[in-house]
Amino acid sequence: MTLSSDATTEDLRHRCAALEQQNAALLQQIAELTAKLHWFEEQFRLARHRQFGASSERTPTEQQPLIFNEAEVEAASPAPPEPTLETVNSYRRRKARGHREAMLQDLPVETIEYRLPEAEQICPACGGPLHEMSTEVRQELQIIPAQAKVIEHVRHIYGCRHCEREEVTASIVPAPMPAPVIPGSLASASTVAYVMTQKFVEGLPLYRQEQQFERLGIALSRQTLANWMLIAADRWLSPLYERMHEHLLRQEILHADETTVQVLHEPGRAAQTQSYFWLYRTGRDGPPIVLFEYQQTRAGEHARKFLSGFSGYLHVDGYSGYDGLPNVTLVGCWAHARRKFDEALKALPPSARAGKRVAAQEGLEFCNRLFALERELADVTPAERQAARLERSRPVLEEFHTWLERQAACALPKSAFGQAVQYCLNQWSKLTAFLQDGRLELDNNRSERSIKAFVIGRKNWLFANTPRGARSSAIIYSIVETAKENGLNPFAYLTYLLDRLLNVDIGNPAALDDLLPWSANLPATCRVPASPTA
């Protein structure tokens, strides 16, 4: 049977249409797979850079900044003169005179003198007597490791002989004696302060402190050390923490951040479940206050509850959990915006970066221009800073926003560059809020620096055992980090606190204010000696 020519033509038409549809589907599939491949290649390059590359986000100095009015600038600039050649003889930096003396001036000095015995004070050349003509001094720094001793408190009890003879109710008068930090234990204020400092300042886990005490001949289990910190934090440091919280809420500008923590025994939760430490701290004005809070989740209700009563500006990193806080203006972080363009640039293959002007570099340069202006305004008044921002930063922001909208139309949404562009557009109202007040900062690095101590410590002690331990850790971290921010020695300050809090009315706000890390009434022994000028 022979097919007609019309039937053959119709069949070929159907086949061509089917092949065209198949070709279009394959082209779409290839485009999708190519986009996925580029995304995975970006992630691979970023992962390799995070693992092996430098962590610094500083723009390389050898890279010329992108100047958007390059033609006008080059035309108006005279040719630079030839540089003068100089011979560099030494790269060694000479220390200023008196550096060692200034560094050692507050340390106790033990002097050891070396003299010739009288019988040896005879000249080896002529046999005549020798006289002392000068001295030669050599200084050495000696370190005395931790030492332990027992303080035995003996309280004498007094009675009345007359009352005893007359069979009257006996009068018993004990001599005054300071109360113990933890009744019935060996713990002194300095011992508890030492354990806290070793863990929360030096990052030394309790099991390693247990081994240290063993080498001193003292058998103290890590459970005992943990109990000492729990009781001291709950009973004595908690009221001070709450008072610091009250002072924090009175400020007009705060910073916030959050990070994960693992708590093993949380009711109804697996040991592997991540919990959170929230950080809140003051800005460049007011007393430095750093507070940590433990919560099981990252829900925004925790920030809303902790900041209840606060009204003002809050620097954040872009997490949506802070949205909707009443009477709070959120201020975005340009360091995060810049970091995303930096990652987009690092995600590109070397061939795409070499000698080419890429869009990721343009976005990075916009951020760099803003930071360069902030460095110029570091030492001016808030009013002068705000005026300069409105005059010089706002035009950069307007130009940047126009550029972002243009890039958003052509950038792949899931690429590193597309995510950087979209982040800035989504956060734009927060990123431009710094124009409203000269006291505001361009980034949230202040809170990141404060939370870094906890992140480093977490790498050593890894987890908290119970929610009570996590809450106590948050209190102790708050005390020591605020102490460091106020120029205090954490160990000396904690020792002073635990000695004083036993003998003051911890329900009296005025009494607690005298003990706060920024109080002018703290003794000089709590403060870190001023560093000598190098």
Side-chain angles (χ1 to χ4, degrees):
M1 181 177 178
T2 306
L3 296 175
S4 66
S5 60
D6 292 341
T8 303
T9 303
E10 185 67 21
D11 183 55
L12 290 174
R13 187 178 294 113
H14 283 302
R15 290 185 181 182
C16 288
L19 289 173
E20 287 177 357
Q21 291 178 358
Q22 183 181 9
N23 184 58
L26 290 174
L27 289 176
Q28 182 179 358
Q29 185 179 10
I30 290 172
E32 292 176 355
L33 291 175
T34 302
K36 288 182 179 180
L37 176 62
H38 290 163
W39 184 84
F40 281 115
E41 287 177 340
E42 282 186 348
Q43 299 306 307
F44 174 75
R45 284 190 288 268
L46 283 176
R48 295 277 293 181
H49 185 273
R50 293 190 186 105
Q51 185 176 7
F52 302 109
S55 60
S56 174
E57 299 173 4
R58 185 184 300 274
T59 302
T61 54
E62 68 273 8
Q63 179 174 298
Q64 294 297 325
L66 296 176
I67 302 177
F68 296 92
N69 59 343
E70 183 178 359
E72 292 82 359
V73 171
E74 292 298 329
S77 300
E82 290 293 326
T84 302
L85 297 179
E86 295 182 359
T87 302
V88 180
N89 295 322
S90 174
Y91 291 98
R92 183 175 180 180
R93 177 175 154 184
R94 185 184 299 276
K95 291 185 178 180
R97 293 184 180 274
H99 172 82
R100 175 179 292 185
E101 289 75 8
M103 180 178 66
L104 303 179
Q105 64 181 356
D106 295 323
L107 297 179
V109 178
E110 177 183 347
T111 302
I112 303 176
E113 296 188 352
Y114 302 91
R115 300 177 182 272
L116 284 175
E118 291 187 6
E120 298 180 11
Q121 294 181 14
I122 299 173
C123 177
C126 67
L130 298 177
H131 69 279
E132 185 174 317
M133 56 179 291
S134 64
T135 58
E136 179 183 317
V137 179
R138 184 185 82 222
Q139 290 182 318
E140 294 178 344
L141 188 64
Q142 185 180 46
I143 303 299
I144 303 175
Q147 298 177 348
K149 66 179 179 180
V150 176
I151 302 296
E152 191 172 42
H153 296 269
V154 180
R155 176 159 65 176
H156 293 265
I157 312 297
Y158 299 85
C160 177
R161 299 282 189 189
H162 178 267
C163 292
E164 293 174 359
R165 285 194 302 267
E166 299 296 329
E167 297 183 356
V168 182
T169 302
S171 296
I172 299 176
V173 181
M177 183 173 69
V181 176
I182 303 173
S185 79
L186 288 172
S188 66
S190 62
T191 304
V192 177
Y194 178 78
V195 175
M196 288 180 174
T197 305
Q198 288 291 95
K199 178 174 181 179
F200 296 104
V201 178
E202 309 300 339
L204 198 66
L206 292 184
Y207 80 91
R208 288 167 61 185
Q209 293 194 51
E210 179 184 22
Q211 295 170 354
Q212 278 191 343
F213 281 114
E214 285 180 359
R215 289 190 285 271
L216 292 174
I218 305 170
L220 290 175
S221 68
R222 68 195 73 174
Q223 290 79 14
T224 298
L225 302 179
N227 286 334
W228 286 357
M229 289 195 296
L230 287 173
I231 295 172
D234 291 346
R235 186 176 300 175
W236 304 118
L237 300 184
S238 180
L240 198 72
Y241 173 89
E242 296 299 334
R243 185 58 178 162
M244 290 165 59
H245 186 193
E246 294 174 6
H247 281 278
L248 181 88
L249 297 179
R250 296 174 186 171
Q251 305 301 312
E252 296 181 355
I253 299 174
L254 297 180
H255 295 248
D257 201 357
E258 67 286 331
T259 189
T260 58
V261 64
Q262 186 178 1
V263 182
L264 297 184
H265 298 99
E266 290 178 312
R269 308 183 85 201
Q272 295 79 13
T273 306
Q274 293 290 353
S275 299
Y276 285 86
F277 259 33
W278 295 69
L279 175 134
Y280 307 90
R281 63 151 301 146
T282 53
R284 68 172 93 211
D285 292 337
I289 307 174
V290 181
L291 296 184
F292 289 85
E293 185 193 31
Y294 155 73
Q295 292 291 350
Q296 289 188 352
T297 68
R298 203 186 180 196
E301 62 189 52
H302 302 311
R304 189 172 292 105
K305 182 178 179 181
F306 191 90
L307 295 175
S308 177
F310 167 69
S311 176
Y313 297 96
L314 180 66
H315 289 80
V316 294
D317 294 345
Y319 171 50
S320 60
Y322 298 104
D323 294 344
L325 291 175
N327 304 316
V328 173
T329 300
L330 298 181
V331 184
C333 177
W334 277 97
H336 277 71
R338 184 189 182 280
R339 185 174 303 149
K340 292 187 178 297
F341 285 108
D342 182 68
E343 290 179 350
L345 188 62
K346 293 172 180 175
L348 294 174
S351 59
R353 283 180 285 170
K356 298 180 181 178
R357 177 173 170 174
V358 295
Q361 178 60 42
E362 293 182 17
L364 187 64
E365 180 57 29
F366 274 114
C367 300
N368 287 344
R369 291 164 68 184
L370 293 173
F371 279 102
L373 176 60
E374 289 301 307
R375 286 192 291 271
E376 294 180 22
L377 304 176
D379 299 324
V380 303
T381 65
E384 293 171 337
R385 184 179 296 112
Q386 185 182 12
R389 285 172 173 173
L390 294 175
E391 179 185 355
R392 301 171 62 187
S393 296
R394 187 160 57 180
V396 177
L397 292 171
E398 293 172 352
E399 185 181 357
F400 187 29
H401 190 261
T402 302
W403 180 87
L404 288 170
E405 291 181 329
R406 188 168 62 251
Q407 296 299 326
C410 57
L412 294 175
K414 292 187 178 181
S415 66
F417 176 70
Q419 291 178 354
V421 170
Q422 202 57 48
Y423 175 87
C424 291
L425 289 174
N426 293 341
Q427 296 286 320
W428 193 251
S429 61
K430 300 173 186 175
L431 289 174
T432 55
F434 76 97
L435 297 174
Q436 300 178 25
D437 195 310
R439 298 172 298 170
L440 300 176
E441 300 179 44
L442 199 61
D443 54 49
N444 196 29
N445 287 347
R446 191 178 293 271
S447 66
E448 290 195 356
R449 288 192 297 269
S450 296
I451 211 169
K452 186 177 181 180
F454 168 79
V455 173
I456 293 175
R458 183 182 58 195
K459 294 180 180 179
N460 291 293
W461 46 260
L462 300 179
F463 53 81
N465 193 40
T466 64
R468 184 190 175 196
R471 283 189 290 270
S472 297
S473 297
I475 291 173
I476 300 171
Y477 262 119
S478 301
I479 300 296
V480 299
E481 288 303 311
T482 304
K484 288 160 60 177
E485 287 281 325
N486 285 273
L488 303 181
N489 180 322
F491 170 71
Y493 178 60
L494 283 172
T495 303
Y496 175 76
L497 275 185
L498 294 174
D499 273 332
R500 287 293 309 277
L501 286 168
L502 306 176
N503 303 295
V504 301
D505 180 9
I506 58 177
N508 181 4
L512 292 177
D513 285 346
D514 281 342
L515 302 177
L516 292 172
W518 58 90
S519 171
N521 297 327
L522 295 177
T525 54
C526 292
R527 306 189 184 280
V528 176
S531 299
T533 303

